[in-house]
Every structure is written in C-alpha cells, then in structure tokens.
Amino acid sequence: MRLSIVSLVTLFAVLHTTSAQATPAWSLAPIAKNPIPSTGSSWPKTPVDSFILRRLHDHDLLPSKVADRRTLIRRLSFDLHGLPPTPGEVSEFLADQREDAYQRLVDRLLASPRYGERWARHWLDVVHYGETHGYDKDKVRPNSWPYRDWVIRSLNSDKPYARFVEEQIAGDAIRPADPDGIIALGFIASGPWDFVGHVELREGTIDKQKVRSLDRDDMLANAMSSFVSTTVHCARCHDHKFDPIPQRDYYRLQAVFAGVERADRPYQGPASEQHLTSNAKSLGYHSSIEKSPDKTKWVQVDLGQEHAIESVLLFPSHEKYGGHPGPGFGFPPRFRVEISNDPRFKNSIQIADHTKSDFPHPGDKTLTIPGGGRQARFVRVTATSLWQRTNDWIFALGEMVVLSAGKNLAAKAPVTALDSIEAGGSWGRKYLTDGSAKRSGKLVYAARPSPTPRPIHLLKRGDVTQKGTLVQAGALSCLPNLDGHFESIDQSDEMQRRKALAQWIIDPSNPLTWRSIVNRVWQYHFGRGLVGTANDFGHMGQKPSHPELLDWMATWFRDGGGSLKRLHRLLVCSAVYQQSSMQRSGDAPRKDVENRLLWRMPRRRLEAEAVRDSVLLISGRIDLKMGGASVRWFGFEDDHSPRYDYRAFDPDGEGSNRRSVYRHIVRSVPDPFMECLDCADASVSTPTRFSTLTALQALTMLNNPFLLRQAEHFADRIRQVSDVHERQVAEAFRLAFTRRPSEAESRRLMEYRRLHGLPNMCRLIFNLNEFLFVD
C-alpha cells in the first residue's frame, strides 16, 4: 500500500502525539531531592561544582584552570552590572590579598543599584515588555515605565521570588494597600495590543471576539511561558499535540484573565503625595436635592474636539456633612459612564455600566474606567440612583480626569449638567475640572478589572463562532501533586481568580516554577541553560543536560526563601564559573564540541545594551540617573498612525546618555543600532537572545552617529590626561580594557592615531574584539 506525503505526515503526528501523551514530561515529575555527589576532589567550591565535576569525570574530562583576576572582575562586572569595571575597581581587586576578596567583590556588585538595572533587562526580554501597542497603529504607551522600574526595585531589594511572581499576577488582590500591588500588574499588560481591533472594530462582530480572544491568549501565554516554562497556548485549537495539556486547561486559563483589560491605572505614591488627607475637602459638582433616590442626574465634560480616550478617572468628593465622615460624599450607588461626539448623547458608547446593582462605595478611592482609545469629544456620568445625604438624595462628584497619552484633556474643560448647585467657592459645575482633588499624578499601564467580565467557552478548533461548554477559571491538570481546579474560590470575583493562579504557580509542589527560574539564572551566567529551551520544558523542548543539578538547585532555591541574590552568589562563586574560557587541546573539544558539560567557561559577545552602556561609560558620558519616564531616542510625530524617526535624534540630546534599560521601546520600528546588535523583539517573548556576527554589525559599530559622537567624547577625555601620543594610547587602553597595551599594540595604534586622528583611534578601540567579547 502506498501512502501519500500528507498521509505519512499525519501518521507521524498521530504516533508522535500518542507517544508524547503516554510519557509524562520530565518537568512534570516532582522535584527530586538529590544528594550532593562525592567527588574526592578539592576542586569544588560550591555544591554546584560537585554535580558538574561528576559529569566531567563520567566522560573522562577535566575542568579548565582558574581565570586570572582581571578576567574574573571583568566577567563579574558584565554579568551582574552590564558594565565594565573601572580601572580603579580593577586595581583595588588586584591588590586585595584577603582570602575572601572574590566573595567581597561579588557582594559589592550585588549590593549596587546597577545590578537591578542589568537583570531587569533579562526579565523584560522574557515578558516581551514594550512601550508601544504594536500592530498596525503602533501608538505610544507613556505610562508603561513604572512596571520597568518596579522590576528594577524588586531585584535590587531581593524581593523573594514567590512574592515577585504573585504581585505580577494578582498584586491588587494580595496587597491592595501597597502601590507595588498595582504597578506589578504591568506584567499582564506588557505585550502587544491591537488598537484597531479593540477600538475601531464595531462591537458585536466576530472579528471583535477574535481580537479579545487573542488578547487573553497573550496574557496567559506570557504568564505560563515566563513562570512555568510551558507552551500552554499550543492548546488553543485542540489538545496539545506533544504535552499532556487538554484544550480545556487552556480555556480555564483564559477564564483567569477574562475579567481584565489593559489601561492606564492610577496608584498612590508616598503618603505625602496622596491626593486627600483626613481633614481635606475635595468638592466639585453637586446636583440639586431630591426627595427620593429614583431620579436620574447627569454631568458631562466637553473636551473641545474629538480625542482618543484612554481612560476616565472619577474622584469622589470629600465633605463632612450630616454625620457623614467625608470620603465619597454624594457618590451614586448606580451609574453609567458614556462617551460621544453628540452633546445630547443620542448616539453614544457606554464604557461603564453599574446601573443593574449597587456599586461598592469607593470612599476616597479613585475609579479608573478604560476608554480603550475610542474617539469622542464629550464624556458623561449619569447617576440612575442617588446617594442618601440626610433625609434627601443627591449626586456629587469631586473631579473628572480624562486621559489621552498621559495628558488630562478635561483640565479646565467646560462642564454642563442636568442641574446643579452653584455655591460660590465650594460647589459648582466648574469645580469638576479645576484640579482641586489633587492626585499623585502617577499612572501605570497595567491590567485592571473590566467593568464587564466575559464568559469563556471552550471553542471548537479555537473558532469563536463554535462555542462549546462554559469554562471556569483554573490551571493545568497534568501536575500529579497539584490541583489545577479553583473550586474553593468565588469564580465571579475577578481578582480571586488571578490570586488563585498566582498561588498555584508559587506552590512549593509546583515543579515547573522552581525549575524554570533557576534555569533562567543559570542561562544568563553561562550562556546556555541546563535546559536549552528556557520557555519550553515540554516534549518538544530540550532535556536538561544536568537533571540532578537542576533539581538540587530548584530545591535549594525554593526552600531557602527564593533569594535571587543568594542564587547569583552560589553560581558566580562556583569553581565552574571561575574557569578560564581559553580553548585547549586534548579530547575535550572533540568529546564535547558544544561545551555542554562546561569543561571551560563559555566566551560571550556583549548584548546590545551592554555595548551601548559600555561605550558611554568609557567615553565618560554615562548618566546613571535611575528610574522615571523612558527616553525617546527618536523623533516622534503623533498621528492616527504614529511615526518614529531615529535619524532625527541628536546623540547629545536630552537623555541620550542614560542606560539602555531606560530607552523607550517601540515595537513596529525598532532602534536600528540596537536591532543590529541582536536586541530582543518586544513583540514576542525572548527567553534567549541570538548572537550573530555580521558585516552590518561592523559597519554599524564604525559609522553609527552615536558611536562617532562617543568616539569624539572618548578622545576629549584622553586629551585631558596628555598630549603625548604614547600616553594617549596607554590611557585609552587603561579606560577601555583596564590594562597596559603591549609594545606592538602601542606602536600600531600610535601610527593609526598619527594618520587618522585621536577620535578615529578611539572608534577603532570600540570595534576591537576585546571590547565586544567577555572571556
């Protein structure tokens, strides 16, 4: 019998799927508590080395000699800070003869704020963090950066990993009084968002349903790839072809995120910045007084022209009256918020509807209502049930803020209402937009509860038109010691669904979580993870090269409090990390050509950010200011479809010298310099960066305007030391490589300097392998 190619492919897929589902993945098994191997050698410095050495002995291999001290401090500095050591730091370390000099160096580097900036960039790669929406109309997200700063702060403070995870999934449910509980939710909203699909497509269409389903797909894929290294999103249309993940599990995870939207969300700063105090008044609009609650009142703001509305913020008024303590005075129990281009609201879009049941009284808490970028000129709040004052009923609202691109469009805007009380310097329509309810001015682009949670159905073949049974929120059902059914929670409570997922992820019996994070940290120190596919621990991913070591580290990390700094210290203090990277003769290169057994330390090229930051440090121009709004290294024209022009940016312009982690990341038009050096694509999760060597990179390092200008600054720095050519060459080597040039190097560079000038000699130094690679 002859089979067609299609039949053979189908048969192979069926056999492969059957085999994969019959054999549970290694990663789903409980973490083994492996003993530390006995090696009979003095080489190990940490337990990690014992596992490595045993595997080397199994293959009749030996580790390499220890790297020299200058190499070690340079390696450590780049690994932990993303910057080269200064000449002074190298001299200090070389002169330190104490037995624990290396450990002291490690502790100093981990204690520096530069550590958080370096390792935040790794995490932002994984979660595909960007500061524009992506897709066709790649609009700016001006308030994404607080999440980036939260990651940096969390790493610098050595926040326990379990808390680091749960705050990003459900911070507002777990720590509602902590601003970090809201800021961390930037994780859920970090990926691309289809502006056209969410804003311009008509409600009720099939395409609109598809867009929302894909949006939830991004959220759950981000969570499961980042935290548990699992490709759950492959089960959207059918049961996972290779891993024991049924389609129902995928839609249970979609249900976790069914009640959230992406929006600019306010958060409080320090107490001194909060918009209200216990004795403060915050007055605004006040309706006329009624004798019953079942009256309708409305108040609206005219923005002057049509704008893309990102969110509407409602600040309750604050007035002590008739025994009321003050917070939330006059806030209606039932209301709706609409936007329109018609001042009479005959045609309008409803962006919030709380008219069917009483809304929880907000007190002084600001309400944020996502506008989804919809275009409108007028914003109206309508109370359909009034608030009881004494023996009468009213509608009062302290302040309305309408945000677009982070700007309050409602500031000083004209206000109209069905009726109002005009009381001179206290109540009146104009006070609704006068800014009297002072807010902290802090917003973060993050997940926020949706006003209309949507039911999730299991979709046949992932088709939104083929709805199956309703699905409740849950997690994976394939872990033998962990229940993925969230039966004990109130499924109608959106925040409780996310809280349940966060607790499922950080459960000590979840083997995926703890294996995933220790593998990621290992990868960034050694160039390759013990599992080479950091986002995929499934059947199609790689198996661990050192499974016993992986499980030992996962147990050690989990049971030791989840300290990432302690994990770094374990790895960089190991003998395997301190090996030389020099290639050697003998059997090792033949027996282990990829160096999977780590018989030497891998040599690595610097990432794009480390190259740029190193150039700034050596030229003497680096700005180490931390945090705040991202720097736009491009010309920007805000339009219906924004335009980004990197050629229009001045290399000496404001913010040009800040560290690369603070650059504004555009999805559709990446920075050409960073992209050329293999920077991460912010549209997709990047667990491992490619490292290519191309002619275009050499041309970029020679001719990019940023490099040309920094070479000039480097030359100016050298001239301040000496006008003598030989001393200039020596100073250039001291700053760039923290060593003296050899006689041959000095002679050749002096000749180059004589022919082409000092700036061109500095440009040449930026292009040397010793500058771009770490041994």
Side-chain angles (χ1 to χ4, degrees):
M1 180 178 66
R2 291 177 12 178
L3 295 175
S4 67
I5 295 295
V6 173
S7 299
L8 286 171
V9 170
T10 303
L11 177 61
F12 173 79
V14 170
L15 292 174
H16 198 93
T17 301
T18 304
S19 173
Q21 292 178 343
T23 306
W26 62 267
S27 58
L28 303 179
I31 298 174
K33 293 187 176 181
N34 297 312
I36 300 170
S38 175
T39 63
S41 169
S42 61
W43 182 73
K45 295 178 182 292
T46 72
V48 167
D49 300 319
S50 297
F51 288 95
I52 295 294
L53 188 60
R54 185 179 68 174
R55 290 295 310 279
L56 288 172
H57 285 172
D58 288 345
H59 292 78
D60 295 324
L61 295 175
L62 294 173
S64 296
K65 64 180 183 180
V66 178
D68 65 83
R69 276 193 157 200
R70 194 185 70 84
T71 297
L72 287 176
I73 187 174
R74 182 175 167 84
R75 182 186 297 170
L76 273 175
S77 187
F78 275 115
D79 269 10
L80 297 180
H81 286 186
L83 292 167
T86 65
E89 289 170 332
V90 174
S91 298
E92 182 181 346
F93 178 58
L94 295 181
D96 191 345
Q97 298 302 311
R98 290 173 292 186
E99 289 187 4
D100 62 347
Y102 183 84
Q103 289 74 16
R104 287 173 179 268
L105 173 62
V106 170
D107 290 341
R108 179 178 65 79
L109 293 173
L110 288 172
S112 167
R114 308 285 84 79
Y115 157 75
E117 293 172 328
R118 165 63 162 171
W119 282 80
R121 183 61 262 167
H122 293 321
W123 184 251
L124 296 174
D125 278 7
V126 174
V127 305
H128 65 344
Y129 167 83
E131 295 174 68
T132 60
H133 289 326
Y135 290 95
D136 296 335
K137 294 182 179 177
D138 192 17
K139 293 185 176 292
V140 166
R141 295 176 180 173
N143 299 307
S144 292
W145 61 265
Y147 170 68
R148 175 209 65 208
D149 284 0
W150 174 88
V151 176
I152 294 172
R153 289 197 313 274
S154 297
L155 295 175
N156 276 332
S157 67
D158 201 18
K159 183 174 290 183
Y161 186 68
R163 181 173 173 182
F164 182 74
V165 172
E166 65 181 0
E167 285 185 2
Q168 293 180 79
I169 297 289
D172 53 350
I174 295 166
R175 292 177 176 82
D178 186 345
D180 279 357
I182 293 176
I183 299 170
L185 298 178
F187 164 82
I188 297 175
S190 61
W193 185 77
D194 187 352
F195 178 89
V196 173
H198 283 277
V199 175
E200 298 183 354
L201 284 180
R202 183 169 53 84
E203 287 288 342
T205 62
I206 298 300
D207 285 342
K208 194 79 167 184
Q209 294 179 49
K210 290 179 180 178
V211 166
R212 287 185 173 136
S213 179
L214 290 172
D215 196 46
R216 292 190 295 270
D217 178 80
D218 177 81
M219 293 178 183
L220 76 87
N222 195 25
M224 302 305 283
S225 295
S226 300
F227 295 125
V228 295
S229 298
T230 305
T231 58
V232 177
H233 48 286
C234 293
R236 179 158 61 97
C237 302
H238 43 67
D239 290 350
H240 200 296
K241 290 293 185 184
F242 304 108
D243 298 332
I245 301 173
Q247 190 184 17
R248 177 171 291 275
D249 283 6
Y250 170 86
Y251 285 100
R252 293 199 307 176
L253 286 161
Q254 268 221 11
V256 171
F257 298 101
V260 296
E261 294 182 351
R262 307 172 197 238
D264 285 318
R265 190 169 178 181
Y267 64 94
Q268 296 296 338
S272 61
E273 298 179 3
Q274 292 181 11
H275 69 279
L276 291 172
T277 66
S278 59
N279 297 319
K281 280 192 174 185
S282 178
L283 309 182
Y285 162 76
H286 190 308
S287 77
S288 61
I289 300 169
E290 300 293 343
K291 295 181 179 180
S292 68
D294 54 345
K295 300 286 185 180
T296 297
K297 304 285 184 181
W298 59 262
V299 63
Q300 70 186 46
V301 173
D302 181 357
L303 305 178
Q305 65 184 50
E306 185 177 329
H307 292 277
I309 297 174
E310 293 178 358
S311 56
V312 176
L313 278 58
L314 303 181
F315 291 80
S317 59
H318 189 104
E319 167 78 309
K320 294 182 179 180
Y321 180 85
H324 186 263
F329 177 86
F331 198 88
R334 299 192 183 195
F335 65 97
R336 64 176 178 265
V337 182
E338 301 163 282
I339 59 176
S340 178
N341 286 315
D342 174 14
R344 295 169 296 178
F345 278 73
K346 289 186 176 180
N347 296 306
S348 64
I349 298 173
Q350 193 166 270
I351 60 173
D353 183 10
H354 299 289
T355 60
K356 297 179 177 59
S357 60
D358 285 358
F359 187 80
H361 193 268
D364 280 337
K365 184 178 179 182
T366 305
L367 276 71
T368 303
I369 298 158
R374 299 175 180 89
Q375 299 281 330
R377 173 176 173 173
F378 300 94
V379 181
R380 175 183 285 191
V381 181
T382 302
T384 58
S385 179
L386 304 183
W387 180 81
Q388 185 172 7
R389 191 178 65 151
T390 49
N391 293 320
D392 49 31
W393 284 263
I394 64 165
F395 166 31
L397 191 60
E399 186 87 14
M400 184 192 297
V401 171
V402 181
L403 294 174
S404 180
K407 180 181 179 182
N408 180 14
L409 303 175
K412 306 299 182 182
V415 177
T416 55
L418 178 67
D419 54 46
S420 71
I421 288 179
E422 301 293 318
S426 54
W427 295 106
R429 289 186 297 269
K430 68 178 182 179
Y431 299 122
L432 183 66
T433 57
D434 70 342
S436 61
K438 299 297 182 184
R439 62 192 175 96
S440 65
K442 296 181 182 295
L443 297 169
V444 60
Y445 188 79
R448 56 144 285 132
S450 167
T452 54
R454 299 176 178 90
I456 297 299
H457 296 263
L458 192 151
L459 304 179
K460 184 177 180 181
R461 302 185 65 83
D463 186 348
V464 296
T465 66
Q466 300 188 58
K467 291 184 172 66
T469 57
L470 275 171
V471 178
Q472 290 192 325
L476 300 184
S477 57
C478 55
L479 295 177
N481 297 328
L482 190 59
D483 185 9
H485 299 82
F486 300 163
E487 294 177 348
S488 61
I489 69 167
D490 178 3
Q491 288 277 341
S492 66
D493 187 327
E494 187 277 323
M495 289 196 292
Q496 290 304 308
R497 297 199 298 269
R498 287 188 284 114
K499 181 180 178 180
L501 176 61
Q503 292 174 338
W504 179 87
I505 290 174
I506 65 172
D507 192 291
S509 61
N510 189 332
L512 293 166
T513 304
W514 310 104
R515 286 175 175 140
S516 174
I517 184 58
V518 298
N519 185 68
R520 291 194 193 279
V521 174
W522 181 280
Q523 170 191 294
Y524 290 122
H525 281 304
F526 291 95
R528 188 206 306 254
L530 296 173
V531 181
T533 50
N535 270 16
D536 186 2
F537 281 11
H539 188 80
M540 294 301 288
Q542 294 181 15
K543 291 185 177 180
S545 60
H546 297 73
E548 296 85 3
L549 172 57
L550 180 66
D551 276 12
W552 182 88
M553 284 200 304
T555 303
W556 179 90
F557 178 73
R558 178 196 64 192
D559 298 347
S563 166
L564 286 168
K565 286 190 177 182
R566 188 166 171 250
L567 178 59
H568 290 302
R569 191 176 292 107
L570 172 76
L571 297 185
V572 301
C573 288
S574 66
V576 64
Y577 179 86
Q578 295 178 53
Q579 291 181 106
S580 169
S581 65
M582 296 295 291
Q583 182 67 274
R584 70 177 198 238
S585 58
D587 289 342
R590 179 179 56 81
K591 290 183 176 180
D592 183 20
V593 66
E594 293 185 342
N595 192 30
R596 293 297 306 274
L597 300 177
L598 289 171
W599 47 269
R600 68 182 178 101
M601 187 65 181
R603 192 183 195 219
R604 289 177 288 152
R605 200 198 71 196
L606 295 179
E607 303 97 324
E609 292 86 354
V611 171
R612 189 181 187 281
D613 294 353
S614 298
V615 167
L616 285 169
L617 181 70
I618 291 165
S619 71
R621 304 289 292 181
I622 194 166
D623 178 1
L624 294 177
K625 173 187 173 184
M626 294 186 68
S630 296
V631 183
R632 296 179 180 180
W633 294 338
F634 48 79
F636 176 63
E637 187 175 346
D638 196 4
D639 201 349
H640 191 53
S641 294
R643 289 184 284 277
Y644 306 93
D645 183 5
Y646 291 92
R647 296 169 300 178
F649 184 68
D650 179 4
D652 284 330
E654 184 180 359
S656 62
N657 298 329
R658 296 197 64 192
R659 289 203 69 178
S660 301
V661 71
Y662 298 115
R663 73 183 176 97
H664 189 109
I665 300 173
V666 180
R667 286 194 159 94
S668 62
V669 188
D671 185 312
F673 176 72
M674 305 296 280
E675 183 184 34
C676 182
L677 295 175
D678 303 318
C679 191
D681 180 353
S683 295
V684 294
S685 174
T686 307
T688 308
R689 289 196 186 184
F690 294 109
S691 183
T692 62
L693 294 174
T694 68
L696 185 59
Q697 290 169 354
L699 292 170
T700 296
M701 289 298 296
L702 281 170
N703 301 316
N704 183 272
F706 167 76
L707 265 297
L708 293 174
R709 190 69 182 110
Q710 294 307 316
E712 292 172 351
H713 289 310
F714 189 15
D716 291 339
R717 187 182 184 189
I718 292 170
R719 286 193 190 100
Q720 294 175 9
V721 174
S722 177
D723 292 330
V724 178
H725 291 192
E726 186 175 5
R727 289 189 62 188
Q728 288 179 344
V729 170
E731 180 66 8
F733 261 67
R734 188 182 76 89
L735 294 173
F737 307 126
T738 64
R739 69 174 178 86
R740 293 178 179 273
S742 68
E743 186 176 330
E745 289 170 333
S746 181
R747 185 173 59 253
R748 294 181 67 183
L749 282 174
M750 280 195 293
E751 177 63 13
Y752 191 89
R753 189 245 182 274
R754 184 184 67 80
L755 292 173
H756 303 290
L758 184 57
N760 279 324
M761 187 199 80
C762 293
R763 182 168 59 147
L764 178 65
I765 285 176
F766 287 150
N767 281 268
L768 295 177
N769 280 352
E770 188 174 352
F771 184 86
L772 296 170
F773 287 81
V774 180
D775 286 324

